[in-house]
Amino acid sequence: MTRQVEAHHYCGHQNEEMRQCLIYDSPEANARLIGLEYIVSENLFMTLPDEEKRLWHSHEYEVKSGLLVMPGIPGPIERQDLELVCKSYGKVYHFWQVDKGDSLPLGLPQLMMAFTRDGQVNNELVQGCGKRLGVDYEKERKNREYMRGPEHGIHPLANGGGKGLKTVLREVDLPNDQPPPSATRVFV
Amino acid sequence: MASTDKSPGPTPAKGNEPPPGKPMSMGQHMIDKGAMMLQSLKPVKQFSQHLCSFAIYSHDMSRQIETHHYCTRLNQDFLQCAVYDSDDSNARLLGVEYIISDRIFEDLPDEEKKLWHSHAYEVKSGLLISPRVPEMVAMPELENLAKSYGKFWCTWQADRGDRLPLGAPALMMSPQAVSPGLARPDLVHHRDAKYHVDSDSYKTSRLEIPEPEMISPFADYWKQHAKGFAIDIVDTDMKLTAPFP
């Protein structure tokens, strides 16, 4: 939880209940593509196998706390969309650990989680962002008080089921029916 | 827990159809249109190229996919690409590929190199194309790409029938001149027919394109080691600054 990043999502809809997003580290032209997110409605989330549910996180706190904003969109319209996001679940992988100072996308994909309650987020991070984007988080929190999270409550398996999750690399033997590379050659 | 090479548990979200879910509502369309007008979408407006090629799952090289890369060049040595399964507006976002010059690649630690693949064969064999771009216009970029290395994480195994992105990410490899890296002819024909091209014919025009003098033995790891890679997602202790969740 000590490692937190500001993330700029650029999203498109597959349909009303599913979105796919590219995640950048800034909203500028030279922004680095650091990861991606898939967002599904509560209905779709419930169809996922239990094992899969753990890889997804809830959005209720992020939205209601004001942390999640849609820069440049007037409040009333923003809130129309956020009402839906509030009930949704997301799955995020980051490939480039820019907070570590990596100048290249090294290592393994990282499964990311979202904030789920007060006290988790690094205040410096938030203040910096608020200043740059001109966001008054306290005001946003009040405006969004009326919003409701998932109809069935946040699923207990979501958000890692409350545990941390990490990615580990494993070498696998290539299946036997594939001849070893030296067996056949093709000349281009 | 979740692993690249483990089939996800039973779910209705299986098959070749588009993702499950209700069609877009009018309200949502309007929000999107509004956002497109009001927001500066700078990062995603930087896509300067569309490349179409093929990729192979490193943990199971019998599985190959057609890929559509939408690339942004950050500097002379670096491209970042959003990878889709088609060039349609409803294309699935399959993953991300980063492409670096051989100059940058050489400085990576060996453990990191293992995750990267070379592009020389893909380019010179005509498998990689810049759809609808005349060869002459594409040539300078093809020359860049032929000497580059890529790292491609696929987070949606749609070819396995996942209608939603399930499981752990998969490390992808590039087609090569030897089995099991040879591109499947049926996939190539299907792609060629769609774009009215003949990949084979590019071999001649691309013959002279320079390749890296030596491709590191750690890149295209399967070639020298007959091994692929899978990712496992496992429990760990989360360092906490507050209760979670």
Side-chain angles (χ1 to χ4, degrees):
Chain A
M1 191 184 284
T2 55
R3 291 188 55 205
Q4 309 181 358
V5 281
E6 179 182 319
H8 293 259
H9 292 60
Y10 293 82
C11 309
H13 279 263
Q14 278 287 325
N15 58 49
E16 181 74 11
E17 298 183 58
M18 198 230 170
R19 305 179 206 214
Q20 49 193 23
C21 316
L22 295 174
I23 305 178
Y24 292 84
D25 65 344
S26 89
E28 303 308 326
N30 64 355
R32 292 175 285 199
L33 175 59
I34 60 176
L36 45 67
E37 176 160 12
Y38 301 102
I39 298 179
V40 298
S41 66
E42 182 179 8
N43 282 343
L44 289 185
F45 175 82
M46 299 303 264
T47 68
L48 299 173
D50 282 355
E51 234 177 48
E52 179 67 29
K53 287 188 170 89
R54 289 188 62 199
L55 311 181
W56 297 69
H57 57 264
S58 55
H59 287 133
E60 181 176 352
Y61 173 76
E62 232 180 304
V63 169
K64 295 191 69 167
S65 64
L67 284 179
L68 196 161
V69 298
M70 294 173 64
I73 305 289
I77 303 180
E78 183 188 26
R79 283 190 284 281
Q80 265 191 296
D81 203 14
L82 291 180
E83 281 168 25
L84 299 173
V85 179
C86 197
K87 300 174 189 295
S88 70
Y89 291 85
K91 184 181 193 184
V92 175
Y93 288 110
H94 280 198
F95 309 111
W96 195 343
Q97 298 180 52
V98 294
D99 68 306
K100 268 166 78 176
D102 287 354
S103 59
L104 288 172
L106 306 172
L108 305 181
Q110 302 295 308
L111 182 71
M112 305 298 281
M113 286 290 143
F115 299 107
T116 53
R117 67 168 78 199
D118 286 344
Q120 291 170 349
V121 75
N122 172 336
N123 271 315
E124 255 178 53
L125 200 61
V126 179
Q127 301 312 332
C129 201
K131 261 209 199 80
R132 261 180 290 118
L133 298 176
V135 179
D136 179 350
Y137 290 106
E138 280 316 307
K139 196 161 123 216
E140 285 311 317
R141 192 184 274 245
K142 286 210 176 64
N143 288 339
R144 301 175 190 188
E145 246 163 22
Y146 73 95
M147 291 191 194
R148 289 178 35 197
E151 298 296 317
H152 298 95
I154 295 175
H155 196 285
L157 287 178
N159 304 307
K163 300 207 188 74
L165 291 169
K166 68 175 181 185
T167 48
V168 173
L169 190 69
R170 170 171 43 96
E171 283 193 15
V172 302
D173 292 318
L174 292 180
N176 282 332
D177 55 12
Q178 287 159 12
S182 53
T184 50
R185 288 203 74 81
V186 165
F187 294 90
V188 174
Chain B
M1 238 213 50
S3 295
T4 312
D5 52 355
K6 210 164 77 180
S7 261
T11 166
K14 274 294 200 183
N16 288 325
E17 305 84 32
K22 299 197 200 72
M24 283 264 281
S25 64
M26 190 49 64
Q28 192 61 65
H29 273 296
M30 302 208 17
I31 292 175
D32 281 9
K33 287 278 180 295
M36 279 167 68
M37 286 195 304
L38 292 169
Q39 294 187 309
S40 120
L41 302 172
K42 276 194 214 142
V44 292
K45 290 194 167 132
Q46 307 307 309
F47 291 131
S48 55
Q49 301 186 56
H50 166 210
L51 301 171
C52 176
S53 188
F54 300 90
I56 310 179
Y57 285 88
S58 72
H59 70 280
D60 179 357
M61 294 187 68
S62 68
R63 287 174 55 198
Q64 302 187 4
I65 55 173
E66 179 184 309
T67 58
H68 293 262
H69 286 54
Y70 289 82
C71 308
T72 300
R73 182 169 280 290
L74 284 193
N75 63 48
Q76 198 44 45
D77 298 292
F78 190 90
L79 284 160
Q80 54 192 20
C81 314
V83 186
Y84 295 85
D85 64 349
S86 81
D87 59 3
D88 277 320
S89 53
N90 64 356
R92 297 176 185 90
L93 175 60
L94 298 181
V96 167
E97 177 161 355
Y98 300 99
I99 299 179
I100 60 177
S101 66
D102 52 353
R103 198 174 67 87
I104 303 283
F105 177 81
E106 290 314 319
D107 288 338
L108 295 175
D110 290 344
E111 281 307 298
E112 178 65 33
K113 285 191 169 116
K114 285 178 178 178
L115 307 177
W116 296 73
H117 56 265
S118 63
H119 287 135
Y121 172 77
E122 215 177 319
V123 171
K124 298 188 72 165
S125 64
L127 286 172
L128 188 155
I129 63 171
S130 215
R132 300 187 190 90
V133 177
E135 269 289 271
M136 223 177 62
V137 176
M139 196 53 73
E141 193 55 70
L142 293 174
E143 283 170 1
N144 275 334
L145 289 167
K147 295 184 96 173
S148 70
Y149 292 82
K151 185 183 196 184
F152 177 8
W153 295 108
C154 171
T155 48
W156 190 346
Q157 297 192 43
D159 69 304
R160 147 177 102 175
D162 294 355
R163 288 177 68 202
L164 289 174
L166 306 173
L171 183 68
M172 306 300 281
M173 288 289 145
S174 57
Q176 299 291 331
V178 289
S179 182
L182 291 168
R184 273 174 40 195
D186 60 317
L187 290 182
V188 181
H189 289 147
H190 182 259
R191 189 279 303 271
D192 283 3
K194 210 180 347 168
Y195 289 105
H196 309 293
V197 297
D198 174 12
S199 304
D200 246 20
S201 69
Y202 292 132
K203 288 183 181 129
T204 344
S205 52
R206 300 181 184 184
L207 201 56
E208 301 296 310
I209 294 180
E211 314 182 20
E213 265 165 36
M214 192 209 72
I215 294 188
S216 161
F218 288 100
D220 314 314
Y221 194 68
W222 57 272
K223 276 175 122 178
Q224 312 269 3
H225 303 90
K227 284 198 193 283
F229 294 103
I231 297 272
D232 297 316
I233 301 183
V234 299
D235 287 350
T236 188
D237 289 319
M238 189 193 281
K239 238 189 250 172
L240 296 171
T241 53
F244 184 87

